[in-house]
Amino acid sequence: MNRLALCLSRAIARVTEAALGPYQTAVVRIGFAATWLLFLLREYPHRQELYGPDGPWSFDLAQQLTADNHAFTALLASDNQAYFEVFYFVAVLAGALLLVGWRTRATSLLFMVGVLSLQNRSVFVGDGGDNVLHLMSFYLVFTRCGQVWSLDARRAARASAARARGERVAPDRAGPALWAVSGLVLLVAAITGRTGGGWLVPAVLWATWAGAALWWAAGRWARTPEPRILLDVVANILHNGALFVIMAEACLIYATAGWYKIQGSRWQDGTAVYYPLHLDYFSPWPALADLLSANGTLVMLVTYGTVIVQVAFPFTLFNRRVKNVLLAAMMTEHAVIAVVLGLPFFSLAMIAADSVFLPTSFLQRLGGWAARARDRVFRRPDPELPVQRFPEADERPRVGFGA
């Protein structure tokens, strides 16, 4: 009984004392922000046809659909052309800011609003990658995804170094300003009844806004550290829970896809991969597709290998070596799909989701390579900011709504 209680207490301490997987959540943040940003920039000339008020899926049809399924979209607040253009620009800006990790708490919310609003505005123009991005944008809100590889982490490290030297650190002004502006926008939306449909997303926005105020107040006026410690524990629990959900979602995607493939006759006889390679819609490089499909043995191996990897992957998570091999195989497969079938954004979304399983040691080495490459390009190495290590408990970003 004592041994069980000890194991349980260790598990509770592990979940509450720290936000786990800082590098994994950072690479997931970067991956999905880059995917969404590249998609918006790529489709900028076609934005009107995809999501505009005068697109094929009209404003009235979108209103009828969201009234029935209660999907959230801020684009139905107005059918004004200028409003759409401003919103599209803000969505692009949110993706860019989340990519570099500036005020990740606020920009992750703005990123989620942009993704959900644009996708729910025209639900018939997406694919599987859009569905993954749709879900992950919501989960990212609950993570502390700016602990490393972000401007937030850099700012926190600089502030910590300044305090260690005995220097005065200027109070944060951008965080409270973001909090005030976002609160005003939420209040206006609530008063005018333009919350976008459904209750879940507005509730998350209001809860995060109130939580940011509580976090700031505890840091400024609390006489003891206990209130801030309590809020830090709650944030860690939310982060670790969201990280677990992201991992479970990725496993569910692969397990479901693999078991459905097993039931298909083309997957059973080993020829399923051949047919997509000869669809005109998915053949940006016909010569390359012909080359890959010319060898029947290769087609059979890829077909059976795809099913085996997808079905087996969730069962290999407790064996690090096997998991890493299958993870590399899946990422390679998605990279090939991006080139051969012309589905870059679907592949980028899946690779970003797979990144949550990458080993921490590999991500640290990757970060070190990126830092050295940056220093060679700009030739301005900063020895006081070792941004590739995980900050200690007293160095983590603690700047309220902007963190």
Side-chain angles (χ1 to χ4, degrees):
M1 186 66 182
N2 292 334
R3 186 175 181 180
L4 177 62
L6 180 61
C7 292
L8 183 61
S9 64
R10 287 178 178 175
I12 294 175
R14 182 170 175 79
V15 171
T16 58
E17 69 183 2
L20 303 176
Y23 291 95
Q24 285 77 6
T25 49
V27 76
V28 168
R29 181 200 86 228
I30 294 170
F32 280 107
T35 301
W36 182 240
L37 179 61
L38 291 174
F39 174 79
L40 292 181
L41 294 177
R42 167 62 180 82
E43 299 298 341
Y44 182 79
H46 313 290
R47 65 193 184 282
Q48 296 293 340
E49 291 80 3
L50 292 175
Y51 309 114
D54 297 328
W57 188 250
S58 68
F59 188 84
D60 292 337
L61 288 175
Q63 281 187 320
Q64 295 177 33
L65 181 61
T66 55
D68 183 58
N69 60 15
H70 304 291
F72 173 86
T73 174
L75 280 177
L76 296 182
S78 172
D79 60 352
N80 183 272
Q81 182 64 34
Y83 174 79
F84 169 75
E85 295 292 349
V86 171
F87 188 91
Y88 198 92
F89 172 78
V90 171
V92 172
L93 181 63
L97 293 178
L98 187 64
L99 177 65
V100 299
W102 185 82
R103 307 287 172 171
T104 51
R105 181 63 62 203
T107 52
S108 64
L109 288 167
L110 197 58
F111 177 79
M112 176 194 68
V113 170
V115 171
L116 298 185
S117 296
L118 287 168
Q119 289 188 353
N120 289 335
R121 170 61 179 83
S122 299
V123 295
F124 299 109
V125 298
D127 56 22
D130 293 313
N131 293 335
V132 175
L133 183 61
H134 190 106
L135 294 170
M136 295 301 176
S137 68
F138 186 80
Y139 302 150
L140 275 176
V141 170
F142 300 96
T143 65
R144 307 179 80 170
C145 55
Q147 298 177 94
V148 296
W149 297 345
S150 67
L151 295 181
D152 287 346
R154 184 180 181 85
R155 185 177 66 255
R158 284 181 168 176
S160 178
R163 294 190 188 96
R165 294 191 298 266
E167 300 176 0
R168 179 180 178 274
V169 178
D172 178 39
R173 301 184 186 279
L178 284 172
W179 179 84
V181 171
S182 61
L184 180 62
V185 172
L186 288 174
L187 183 61
V188 171
I191 293 176
T192 59
R194 298 179 177 181
T195 54
W199 61 270
L200 180 59
V201 173
V204 170
L205 295 175
W206 276 112
T208 308
W209 183 82
L214 188 61
W215 184 284
W216 181 82
R220 185 174 181 85
W221 291 315
R223 297 182 178 180
T224 62
E226 280 77 9
R228 192 62 177 265
I229 293 174
L230 176 61
L231 292 175
D232 201 39
V233 168
V234 173
N236 290 336
I237 293 174
L238 290 175
H239 167 94
N240 295 329
L243 182 62
F244 174 79
V245 171
I246 291 173
M247 298 172 70
E249 189 74 41
C251 289
L252 183 62
I253 290 172
Y254 283 117
T256 303
W259 285 107
Y260 270 106
K261 284 181 174 66
I262 289 177
Q263 302 175 43
S265 59
R266 293 293 179 263
W267 291 97
Q268 293 175 8
D269 60 26
T271 63
V273 172
Y274 175 86
Y275 298 100
L277 295 174
H278 292 276
L279 294 174
D280 292 338
Y281 187 75
F282 296 107
S283 297
W285 313 100
L288 181 58
D290 292 338
L291 179 63
L292 294 176
S293 62
N295 190 317
T297 303
L298 179 62
V299 171
M300 182 188 67
L301 291 176
V302 173
T303 301
Y304 288 147
T306 299
V307 176
I308 292 171
V309 168
Q310 290 184 348
V311 173
F313 180 74
F315 301 100
T316 65
L317 294 182
F318 299 102
N319 188 311
R320 183 176 59 183
R321 293 182 178 179
V322 178
K323 182 263 294 182
N324 291 340
V325 171
L326 295 187
L327 187 60
M330 289 191 302
M331 288 185 166
T332 302
E333 179 184 15
H334 288 305
V336 172
I337 289 174
V339 176
V340 177
L341 298 183
L343 296 171
F345 301 112
F346 166 78
S347 298
L348 284 174
M350 293 307 303
I351 291 174
D354 294 341
S355 299
V356 73
F357 298 106
L358 288 173
T360 300
S361 58
F362 169 76
L363 292 175
Q364 288 175 328
R365 288 196 298 271
L366 185 64
W369 297 335
R372 287 191 291 272
R374 177 204 61 197
D375 293 339
R376 289 193 187 99
V377 172
F378 296 102
R379 299 190 181 279
R380 293 176 59 186
D382 192 347
E384 295 182 357
L385 295 176
V387 297
Q388 301 307 326
R389 66 179 177 85
F390 178 65
E392 300 296 337
D394 59 345
E395 297 178 323
R396 294 176 196 163
R398 299 173 182 273
V399 288
F401 190 72

